Amino acid sequence: IETDGDAPEALCALCKEAGWEAQLRNGTIVIPLEPALRAGPAQLVTFDGGARIFLELPHANPEPDVVREARELLLLRLSHLVRLIRPIRRRRGDEVVTELEAAFPKFPTAEHLAHALSAIATAARSAAEFQAMEDDHLAGHYLASMRHSVLRTEA
């Protein structure tokens, strides 16, 4: 995905105004997050007058069903806990890519970017949990504990 026109420079300036350093790399704006998060940089791209910030969560392909289900449940819970964030799982060629996204239908302000980047960084703190779910035994325990938790709240 590439940005167009003067939007990249304007968005880099808005990120700086919002308190986040941004760099332009090959037509894509990248915003480094905290190194301790074990997640790559967030990316900021424009589309049809709007903008999208996303962070790709690395994982192995293919995933066993129990791992996929546990990760999807974790992402669903995360989207309820951190406003502005939408988890996305999509195909890119033969692999499944998982992203955390905040999107704006119109060109964002510095305030919008500040909130969205803070939300992405907060959600990225779950990246370690997401990666830990690669262990199918752990993923199974996570699913069982979540099912038990749901059953207790329904009783």
Side-chain angles (χ1 to χ4, degrees):
I1 306 173
E2 292 187 5
T3 56
D4 55 277
D6 294 332
E9 289 79 16
L11 284 169
C12 283
L14 286 174
C15 285
K16 186 169 184 148
E17 184 181 331
W20 293 84
E21 289 299 321
Q23 304 162 355
L24 190 57
R25 291 186 198 156
N26 300 322
T28 299
I29 300 166
V30 295
I31 302 107
L33 300 175
E34 298 173 44
L37 296 179
R38 289 192 270 171
Q43 297 181 49
L44 174 57
V45 295
T46 59
F47 66 93
D48 300 327
R52 172 181 185 258
I53 301 169
F54 65 96
L55 173 67
E56 187 172 320
L57 299 176
H59 60 86
N61 276 289
E63 298 170 306
D65 287 345
V66 67
V67 170
R68 181 187 46 77
E69 289 174 32
R71 284 180 165 165
E72 288 173 353
L73 181 58
L74 175 68
L75 291 170
L76 182 61
R77 292 188 70 232
L78 187 60
S79 70
H80 288 285
L81 294 172
V82 182
R83 297 293 178 214
L84 289 177
I85 298 303
R86 179 175 69 168
I88 297 173
R89 291 187 50 103
R90 63 180 176 83
R91 289 212 165 273
R92 181 171 59 201
D94 291 339
E95 64 180 6
V96 173
V97 177
T98 303
E99 298 171 343
L100 299 174
E101 173 192 74
F104 303 97
K106 295 182 181 177
F107 203 81
T109 64
E111 185 177 1
H112 291 139
L113 291 174
H115 289 297
L117 287 164
S118 292
I120 290 274
T122 299
R125 294 186 180 282
S126 293
E129 292 173 55
F130 183 86
Q131 290 170 346
M133 295 291 174
E134 196 159 294
D135 179 314
D136 56 355
H137 184 69
L138 180 62
H141 280 292
Y142 178 78
L143 284 174
S145 70
M146 289 297 104
R147 287 184 187 124
H148 180 70
S149 176
V150 168
L151 291 175
R152 275 191 317 198
T153 59
E154 290 179 352

